[in-house]
């Protein structure tokens, strides 16, 4: 936790003065690592678009696509209101909506609880009996599922084209008032003082290739989650969520200076207005806020299940850009660069498990593609070991850099023993793959610098640096564990023969072994600088 007396961030809240209408640029995310939601804060209708991280198409032979799970709608009929506020409090990971209508102050809170495994929405008002509305649950795969409504519970259940079974359940818990089944397939609450909604969702995915990546049907588990959560008062659910979240988030504070408009004013500036004014009107507190927002997003999308994908955990499409996959030519690695330096080592675990569980599939595919030992990956990857797009041979060495970081920060030798065979397998790949030049030096053959230059050339700096890093980390691991002295000598000798950094004719670090860099180049990828960052 933050030491006593350490200055906290001056601003830890995203603020807006109107509901969201666009999913990507306006709605706000909540998540518990596995389950996530995007909230719009609407008046007439609140929309919570939700995801669960294992809802994927695909197989061991294809990446597939991460899927939109569905939408939870709360129809309230509040077409207009005054004093509207919508916020996301990063210090508690709680979404808030407040407004006044007809002299009544309405409030909504929402969060995704990691300890209780459910998404929670709470509607309250300062006058009893003020809530009347309808709750609807909508599947994003309506042609492959069924909706069931029974008194206070809505349920969707279905099966994707790859046979993955999924289910979501919502329980409606009013305080006061009456519950009725709506003739449009929803649950209606009438004259309630307050309403609590509990959403649980899951699939039969299991991260075990030997079991065909499948486990038990999610129905029983979800019913148990909903039952356990519904037995707790709302305040108890909220307190458990906040305590769990703050255990991670509260470790790091950042203060860069105040906003141009002091946040202690009666009505702090809306975050979108501050963004529009930046950078013409520098706002140090906004920079600190977005640093903390990045930490919030990693906590919300990477806890105890699958790693954060291209969009974290949030996705409203069944055909998302780049499959909303695990991109291993920078994106997945980049997601986890902040994990250790920003005090979130616990969020790293899903990445290690994902790599570890898919090794057998990757090894088989790599042997078929390259005819060598060890393994690497294609650029696009899913949750069943399958990949697509082009092969990125240095990708596994780059992933190993992330895996090594955990040991570098923790010095956990028990973890190092689990990591060691992964490092060794990827070293075997490069032992077989590296090419000897006439002068005896070693190069990665037929590589490319991502999205820039020739598609296939020997000795690309991007690949050379990552192989050197892999070999260096393997040698330290073997030395710490006191194993494989003979293989240490082999890898050490190979590392010494790797083509190293090349300085070009205008004093630059070359991107290729051939000096073809353009001093006027403005390409967004600077892959040959991978050795300098992070």
């Amino acid at each position: 936790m933050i030491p006593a007396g350490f200055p906290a961030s001056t601003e830890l809240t995203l603020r807006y003065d109107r509901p969201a209408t666009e999913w990507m640029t306006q709605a706000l995310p909540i998540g518990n690592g596995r389950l996530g939601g995007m909230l719009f804060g609407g008046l007439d209708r609140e929309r919570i678009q939700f995801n669960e991280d294992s809802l994927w198409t695909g197989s061991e032979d294809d990446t597939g696509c991460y899927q939109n799970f569905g939408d939870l709608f709360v129809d309230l009929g509040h077409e207009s209101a005054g004093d509207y506020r919508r916020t996301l409090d990063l210090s508690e990971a709680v979404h808030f909506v407040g407004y006044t209508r007809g002299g009544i102050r309405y409030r909504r809170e929402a969060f995704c609880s990691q300890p209780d495994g459910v998404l929670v929405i709470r509607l309250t008002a300062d006058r009893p009996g003020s809530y009347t509305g309808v709750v609807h649950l909508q599947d994003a795969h309506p042609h492959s599922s069924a909706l069931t409504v029974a008194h206070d519970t809505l349920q969707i259940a279905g099966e994707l084209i790859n046979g993955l079974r999924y289910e979501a359940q919502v329980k409606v818990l009013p305080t006061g008032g009456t519950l009725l089944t709506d003739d449009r397939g929803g649950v209606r609450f009438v004259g309630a003082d307050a309403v609590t909604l509990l959403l649980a969702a899951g699939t039969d995915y299991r991260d075990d290739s030997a079991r065909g990546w499948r486990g038990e049907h999610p129905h029983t588990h979800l019913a148990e989650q909903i039952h356990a959560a519904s037995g707790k008062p709302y305040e108890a659910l909220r307190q458990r969520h906040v305590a769990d979240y703050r255990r991670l988030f509260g470790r790091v504070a950042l203060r860069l200076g105040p906003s141009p408009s002091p946040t202690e004013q009666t009505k702090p500036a809306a975050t979108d207005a501050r963004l529009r004014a930046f950078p013409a009107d520098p706002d140090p507190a906004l920079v600190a806020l977005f640093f903390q927002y990045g930490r919030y997003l990693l906590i919300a999308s990477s806890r105890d299940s699958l790693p954060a994908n291209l969009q974290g955990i949030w996705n409203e499409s069944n055909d998302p850009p780049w499959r909303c996959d695990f991109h291993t030519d920078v994106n997945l690695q980049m997601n986890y660069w902040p994990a250790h330096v920003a005090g979130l080592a616990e969020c790293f675990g899903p990445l290690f498990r994902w790599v570890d569980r898919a090794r057998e599939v990757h090894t088989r595919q790599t042997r078929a593609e390259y005819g060598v030992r060890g393994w690497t990956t294609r650029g696009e990857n899913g949750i069943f070991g399958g990949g697509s797009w082009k092969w990125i041979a240095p990708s596994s060495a780059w992933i190993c850099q992330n895996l090594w970081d955990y040991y570098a920060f923790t010095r956990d030798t028990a973890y190092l023993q689990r990591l060691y065979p992964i490092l060794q397998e990827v070293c075997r790949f490069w032992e077989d793959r590296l090419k000897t030049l006439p002068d005896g030096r070693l190069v990665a053959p037929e590589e490319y610098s991502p999205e820039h230059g020739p598609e296939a050339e020997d000795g690309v700096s991007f690949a050379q640096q990552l192989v050197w890093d892999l070999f260096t980390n393997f040698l330290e691991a073997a030395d710490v564990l006191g194993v494989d002295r003979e293989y240490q000598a082999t890898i050490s000798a190979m590392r010494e023969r790797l083509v190293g950094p090349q300085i070009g004719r205008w004093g630059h670090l070359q991107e290729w072994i051939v000096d073809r860099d353009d001093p006027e180049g403005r390409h967004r990828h600077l892959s040959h600088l991978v050795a300098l960052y992070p």
Side-chain angles (χ1 to χ4, degrees):
M1 299 301 291
I2 298 170
F6 192 89
S9 301
T10 56
E11 176 62 62
L12 286 172
T13 303
L14 280 68
R15 306 175 188 275
Y16 302 87
D17 56 15
R18 60 182 59 86
T21 57
E22 296 182 9
W23 182 89
M24 179 174 288
T25 60
Q26 297 177 355
L28 291 171
I30 58 175
N32 65 7
R34 181 186 59 81
L35 181 66
M38 294 288 282
L39 290 92
F40 287 69
L43 294 171
D44 181 52
R45 162 175 272 197
E46 171 64 285
R47 176 191 176 195
I48 301 100
Q49 183 275 321
F50 66 96
N51 295 102
E52 200 275 349
D53 68 356
S54 65
L55 191 70
W56 279 74
T57 59
S59 65
E60 291 189 354
D61 299 314
D62 180 67
T63 301
C65 291
Y66 183 45
Q67 300 291 287
N68 174 10
F69 210 119
D71 289 280
L72 173 62
F73 295 106
V74 185
D75 293 330
L76 297 169
H78 295 176
E79 296 181 358
S80 62
D83 191 23
Y84 180 92
R85 289 191 299 133
R86 179 169 62 100
T87 64
L88 179 61
D89 182 349
L90 303 185
S91 71
E92 294 189 336
V94 174
H95 181 275
F96 169 83
V97 173
Y99 56 89
T100 300
R101 181 177 182 274
I104 303 170
R105 186 65 182 168
Y106 292 89
R107 296 171 54 94
R108 292 179 220 153
E109 286 190 333
F111 55 86
C112 239
S113 170
Q114 209 278 337
D116 287 296
V118 292
L119 191 155
V120 183
I121 303 133
R122 175 72 166 174
L123 292 74
T124 60
D126 62 6
R127 183 182 299 175
S130 296
Y131 271 110
T132 294
V134 183
V135 179
H136 293 283
L137 185 60
Q138 181 174 296
D139 191 349
H141 304 82
H143 301 297
S144 61
S145 69
L147 169 68
T148 304
V149 180
H151 183 50
D152 63 355
T153 302
L154 301 95
Q155 173 185 307
I156 52 175
E159 185 174 304
L160 298 183
I161 57 174
N162 61 353
L164 187 80
R165 297 176 296 177
Y166 64 90
E167 184 172 311
Q169 297 181 20
V170 174
K171 196 170 188 70
V172 183
L173 301 170
T175 302
T178 304
L179 277 186
L180 303 168
T181 299
D182 185 74
D183 57 9
R184 293 179 299 157
V187 172
R188 177 179 293 274
F189 50 89
V190 180
D193 302 337
V195 181
T196 300
L197 306 177
L198 304 176
L199 167 66
T203 76
D204 66 352
Y205 172 77
R206 181 171 180 171
D207 59 352
D208 185 348
S209 61
R211 295 178 179 266
W213 305 100
R214 298 292 189 273
E216 63 182 11
H217 194 281
H219 175 80
T220 301
H221 179 61
L222 297 182
E224 291 172 351
Q225 281 184 325
I226 291 283
H227 177 74
S230 63
K232 299 183 177 76
Y234 170 75
E235 283 303 323
L237 292 171
R238 192 185 193 283
Q239 289 170 9
R240 279 165 57 85
H241 157 71
V242 171
D244 169 78
Y245 170 77
R246 282 183 167 170
R247 179 177 58 85
L248 298 176
F249 185 81
R251 293 171 179 166
V252 174
L254 178 65
R255 185 184 181 94
L256 300 177
S259 298
S261 301
T263 55
E264 54 269 16
Q265 62 185 302
T266 303
K267 187 177 181 180
T271 303
D272 49 354
R274 295 169 69 186
L275 279 170
R276 286 192 296 269
F278 192 93
D281 189 10
D283 188 345
L286 184 64
V287 177
L289 173 64
F290 273 81
F291 165 77
Q292 294 287 25
Y293 188 44
R295 297 182 66 241
Y296 166 85
L297 292 173
L298 186 60
I299 296 170
S301 60
S302 183
R303 291 294 297 273
D304 57 1
S305 49
L306 288 161
N309 63 45
L310 274 177
Q311 293 176 194
I313 195 176
W314 304 278
N315 168 38
E316 69 164 348
S317 172
N318 290 328
D319 185 23
W322 298 283
R323 305 173 186 251
C324 206
D325 75 316
F326 303 112
H327 242 55
T328 53
D329 64 347
V330 66
N331 306 82
L332 183 59
Q333 293 88 338
M334 190 186 301
N335 282 352
Y336 286 89
W337 285 346
H340 306 294
V341 295
L344 298 176
E346 290 88 341
C347 295
F348 164 79
L351 178 62
F352 180 87
R353 285 195 298 274
W354 177 79
V355 172
D356 188 43
R357 299 301 192 268
R359 286 160 54 200
E360 182 180 342
V361 178
H362 291 327
T363 299
R364 184 168 65 249
Q365 295 168 340
T366 300
R367 187 181 305 116
E369 175 66 19
Y370 290 101
V372 300
R373 298 171 297 171
W375 59 270
T376 191
T377 71
R378 292 177 179 266
E380 295 177 336
N381 299 272
I383 65 171
F384 306 106
S388 52
W389 192 49
K390 67 187 303 174
W391 284 89
I392 310 291
S395 63
S396 56
W398 205 351
I399 286 289
C400 283
Q401 184 182 84
N402 291 85
L403 304 186
W404 176 260
D405 278 349
Y406 185 88
Y407 172 72
F409 274 82
T410 65
R411 315 309 288 181
D412 182 346
T413 54
Y415 167 81
L416 187 62
Q417 289 177 332
R418 297 168 59 206
L419 173 61
Y420 182 78
I422 297 176
L423 296 175
Q424 187 179 55
E425 289 164 5
V426 181
C427 283
R428 296 285 190 197
F429 171 82
W430 287 105
E431 182 185 3
D432 291 355
R433 173 77 174 155
L434 287 172
K435 174 181 176 180
T436 303
L437 296 177
D439 61 6
R441 293 183 300 166
L442 295 175
V443 291
E446 299 182 350
E447 295 299 337
Y448 90 124
S449 205
E451 300 185 15
H452 193 34
E455 283 294 306
E457 186 166 286
D458 296 345
V460 172
S461 297
F462 164 72
Q464 296 297 126
Q465 293 167 15
L466 288 172
V467 175
W468 187 93
D469 184 70
L470 168 73
F471 285 178
T472 299
N473 295 336
F474 168 79
L475 290 171
E476 182 176 342
D479 187 59
V480 169
L481 296 176
V483 296
D484 291 334
R485 298 297 183 191
E486 184 176 341
Y487 195 52
Q488 285 186 57
T490 297
I491 295 300
S492 180
M494 294 183 72
R495 184 182 64 173
E496 295 305 310
R497 294 168 57 200
L498 286 171
V499 168
Q502 308 288 302
I503 304 302
R505 62 190 181 281
W506 47 278
H508 64 287
L509 180 65
Q510 291 180 195
E511 190 163 353
W512 299 273
I513 199 170
V514 176
D515 188 2
R516 65 163 58 87
D517 299 86
D518 180 359
E520 301 301 320
R522 296 291 185 267
H523 196 274
R524 65 193 178 93
H525 277 216
L526 300 172
S527 303
H528 61 302
L529 303 183
V530 66
L532 303 180
Y533 187 84

